[in-house]
Amino acid sequence: MTTSSSPNGDEIRAAFADLMRRARRSETPEITPRQSLTRHDPTISAHPRRTRGPQKTPTKVQVSIRFDADLVRALRETGKGWQGRANDILRNALALDKDAMGG
């Protein structure tokens, strides 16, 4: 009683030889390394995310500062651009002239 549904060695060799013949004749589509990665790993995008380059004339300085949670919440609730508004509020509170930026 022999029920073998798996291919034998000769079938595997024939299939591999056929695959290699087709590859040599370019019957298979060319796959770039990125396509190969994205096909097997969905966390890698086929189209890398584009980001902005460095600012040509930096006008802002990145800092890390701690504020009370309710203050940050109130600023964020004002919507998009809240960091710019926070900058304006601090500038007005310190009576700094916007034209004198950079120094």
Side-chain angles (χ1 to χ4, degrees):
M1 189 173 187
T2 58
T3 55
S4 175
S5 62
S6 59
N8 64 31
D10 291 334
E11 292 172 329
I12 292 172
R13 278 188 285 282
F16 183 73
D18 182 50
L19 178 66
M20 294 306 291
R21 255 191 317 280
R22 285 189 288 140
R24 274 188 232 114
R25 285 186 275 158
S26 297
E27 290 179 8
T28 57
E30 183 156 336
I31 297 175
T32 64
R34 178 159 290 283
Q35 288 172 327
S36 177
L37 287 173
T38 58
R39 180 180 295 172
H40 301 293
D41 187 354
T43 62
I44 299 173
S45 173
H47 304 286
R49 185 177 196 166
R50 295 181 183 197
T51 58
R52 291 177 58 177
Q55 230 178 355
K56 289 182 176 53
T57 55
T59 58
K60 309 278 184 181
V61 177
Q62 183 175 350
V63 297
S64 177
I65 189 168
R66 294 180 179 270
F67 291 114
D68 294 332
D70 59 338
L71 174 68
V72 174
R73 190 177 319 109
L75 284 167
R76 284 185 172 165
E77 285 174 356
T78 63
K80 189 171 180 151
W82 68 271
Q83 291 175 329
R85 283 189 292 283
N87 187 74
D88 293 341
I89 292 167
L90 287 170
R91 180 171 291 287
N92 290 336
L94 296 172
L96 295 176
D97 186 12
K98 197 166 193 161
D99 295 330
M101 285 183 4

